[in-house]
Amino acid sequence: MAATIRDVAQASGVHVSTVSRTFSAPHLVNPETRNRVLAVAEDLGYRPNRAARALTTGRTHNIGLIVADIANPFFPPLIKAAQAHARARDYHVFVADTDEDPQVEEELIQTLTKQVDGVLLCSPRLSNRAIERLHADVPFVVVNRRVKGMPTILMDVGHGARLAIEHMTGLGHRRIALVSGPSGSWTSGEMRAAATAMEGVDLVILGPNAPTEQGGLAVAADVIASGATGVLAYNDLVAIGLIEGLYERGVRVPDDVSVVGVDDIVSGRLNRPKLTTVAMPTAAAGRMAVDLLLQSVGDSATPTLATLETSLVVRESTGEVRQ
Amino acid sequence: MAATIRDVAQASGVHVSTVSRTFSAPHLVNPETRNRVLAVAEDLGYRPNRAARALTTGRTHNIGLIVADIANPFFPPLIKAAQAHARARDYHVFVADTDEDPQVEEELIQTLTKQVDGVLLCSPRLSNRAIERLHADVPFVVVNRRVKGMPTILMDVGHGARLAIEHMTGLGHRRIALVSGPSGSWTSGEMRAAATAMEGVDLVILGPNAPTEQGGLAVAADVIASGATGVLAYNDLVAIGLIEGLYERGVRVPDDVSVVGVDDIVSGRLNRPKLTTVAMPTAAAGRMAVDLLLQSVGDSATPTLATLETSLVVRESTGEVRQ
DNA sequence: GTGAAAGCGCTAACAC
DNA sequence: GTGTTAGCGCTTTCAC
């Protein structure tokens, strides 16, 4: 059995409270005693039990990170960044995957609340009502979704959509197709709003579509039928599927049609043609979400909204319109 | 503040132990009482505090999952599967990323041990000595690495390598290049051993190489110089980089050279040419690792070795040798 | 600066 | 079948 605080106390001839202090309030203990305790602790391989500590302090030093789908390439960079950032602040992170199921998500959060100081909700499927209810038990930060009065990280995909469309009109494209995502998606809504508001663009909206390669593949025929020469896809997966679908129908990218994705996942960089895309600041979002969460754990009454900028990465899937 | 066991006891007119029993040993309590307690608990939104429970039972119902790099596309399917499987068994999972740093890894495991019942180590960078030392404090399962006397999940990449090479020789390729991975890698060693043992193959080994797209890109010139017409790459990332590098040098895949990867990451399916690859059973490995871990938590004395089969997925990056 | 003691939320003997 | 009690490993008053 691993050493406990009592073992250390006994072995160093002080009482448990002194040992406790040397770890949680070192300045309160005589340097000499402190060093002795530290030496013994080192010797015994003692490490404070965080769970036991949590019982009295109310701080678990854990956070929960809930994403829709770990295997969706959009998430791993966010998870990685959030985890690294949390750990640098001495927090461990539970990660869980809801498989896009609201039921699972709610159940999950409930069993997690007691073990964490807060939860990071990434693109939750839960209703606002459910989120607000759960919020009574544990602090939240939501990413890419708006829930009133809740700390939020948004990625400004509307701006990215504008950049993408301007990029294409700059290349001479007039008729632009927006391949939208699932109907409930906040991101899709933002893209649509931004695109619709732009002037001098002959916009056609296609969708809703599944946010996957399949979704892109399936919409290829519609894109061709629409007569658009420029396409902004809901995300990179859709863009890649679409390019594939166009290719199968003898339409070349970027020669015949230009395609822009959203997210900047790894596959887009690896693919040929390399995908022009709206880069989402996923890593930054992960870090900032952790910061916001840790901060709102301290003082609960500060809902904040942070909007992170997106940018356009021009690669090979866009080109000048054919004469 | 959330309801505790005492609140429930008081509100339902029984003692805490009875409440405790209704949750952890329901059969020991009178159905009538049990229902009453359950109703009150539901009403109060009571959920047992798992951390507190762990303090007395010694079972946290958490596991740790440590991977080298969350953003490496090899891992997310494993993480996803392990997490889902664990949760189905009422376990939560901490996931952590060591960024390939042994120092970080060891420190991480140490702070995690008290909060988990066991740790899943995926392709650890730690020395065997360090692993064995840590093992005194917490059960482990290691994936794709051999540590004596430790429960292990291996993916039979040697078999996959044989399949890949046979596939290429079957297409008429005689001279085959093995683009190996980092020198310490168990996977790379297995591939090499399997390839070397094959007869009737004119094998040339290139490497070690970085396990990344860059590694593949950098080795392209050597592959061409080697005169090989078939290549087995350390993993898909390397294969994709290599194809890119060959392409830049005017060498076409599969027309001039056939390339096989290992892993079966998403990008390989999305890329053109779609990658022929040795599919690693990552999801199955994740699930099985959890099973093994949970089992070895029960009875500590059963180190087991499970070897999972790999398979060859033939897609578009391999073809008949040019006449 | 250090010790004593209570208590965090829960389980596990042991009584009855 | 249920109550009583001790205690898991730790922090935190409160004394001294």
Side-chain angles (χ1 to χ4, degrees), chain A residues 14-15 17-18 21 29-30 33 55-56:
Chain A
V14 299
H15 276 241
S17 43
T18 304
R21 279 184 208 109
V29 33
N30 185 314
T33 337
L55 213 47
T56 52

Side-chain angles (χ1 to χ4, degrees), chain A residues 86-107:
Chain A
R87 214 162 61 68
R89 280 148 191 71
D90 200 24
Y91 270 74
H92 290 318
V93 9
F94 284 110
V95 354
D97 174 309
T98 62
D99 252 327
E100 322 257 356
D101 183 337
Q103 194 76 17
V104 171
E105 193 167 330
E106 180 155 14
E107 174 64 22

Side-chain angles (χ1 to χ4, degrees), chain B residues 14-15 17-18 21 29-30 33 55-56:
Chain B
V14 298
H15 276 243
S17 45
T18 304
R21 279 183 209 109
V29 32
N30 184 313
T33 337
L55 213 47
T56 53

Side-chain angles (χ1 to χ4, degrees), chain A residues 152-165:
Chain A
T152 301
I153 307 283
L154 260 24
M155 307 188 205
D156 191 355
V157 69
H159 178 243
R162 247 171 272 127
L163 252 32
I165 292 174

Side-chain angles (χ1 to χ4, degrees), chain B residues 219-283:
Chain B
V219 83
D222 291 348
V223 166
I224 295 172
S226 78
T229 61
V231 183
L232 174 58
Y234 173 65
N235 68 20
D236 289 347
L237 249 21
V238 170
I240 290 170
L242 170 62
I243 291 173
E244 181 75 17
L246 292 174
Y247 183 85
E248 284 173 0
R249 289 170 172 74
V251 176
R252 298 307 165 117
V253 174
D255 307 0
D256 303 319
V257 168
S258 287
V259 175
V260 180
V262 172
D263 281 356
D264 194 18
I265 65 175
V266 170
S267 295
R269 277 195 289 278
L270 263 27
N271 231 30
R272 208 161 37 238
K274 294 192 196 309
L275 198 61
T276 294
T277 191
V278 175
M280 296 283 245
T282 44

